[in-house]
Amino acid sequence: MFRIIKRYYAAWRYRRAVRKARRLAALFGMKYYVINLNGSLKVVPKRTVKELIKRRRFRKGVTVEDIERHALFVTT
């Protein structure tokens, strides 16, 4: 029973993050990613991902394409 509740909660959080990403992409005209950072879903624009890579927030050698491949959802 507890597993079912956890799955529903995770699905609800995912749908909420996707909805937020789509809304922001339509509003600002930028590409947004839904990624899992530190155990929670984050909605981040591509521009911010580029800045984080420049500041070495991710491991050496990680590119924007790697982040996009591993993203849970990418707006168009």
Side-chain angles (χ1 to χ4, degrees):
M1 180 69 175
F2 188 67
R3 279 189 229 149
I4 294 171
I5 293 170
K6 281 178 70 170
R7 282 186 191 165
Y8 277 120
Y9 180 65
W12 177 76
R13 284 180 35 220
Y14 174 76
R15 284 193 310 266
R16 196 173 104 193
V18 168
R19 192 177 318 128
K20 181 178 178 181
R22 284 185 175 159
R23 193 177 313 131
L24 289 172
L27 183 64
F28 295 114
M30 295 170 47
K31 196 175 219 182
Y32 279 82
Y33 303 132
V34 174
I35 56 177
N36 190 0
L37 278 178
N38 298 329
S40 64
L41 296 178
K42 303 287 183 188
V43 178
V44 291
K46 184 175 182 178
R47 180 180 296 165
T48 303
V49 171
K50 285 182 181 180
E51 289 175 10
L52 291 174
I53 290 173
K54 278 184 190 176
R55 293 182 187 176
R56 300 284 186 191
R57 174 69 171 85
F58 299 104
R59 280 186 293 166
K60 187 176 180 179
V62 172
T63 61
V64 177
E65 291 80 23
D66 296 335
I67 301 293
E68 186 169 342
R69 243 189 331 242
H70 289 87
L72 301 174
F73 180 78
V74 180
T75 61
T76 55

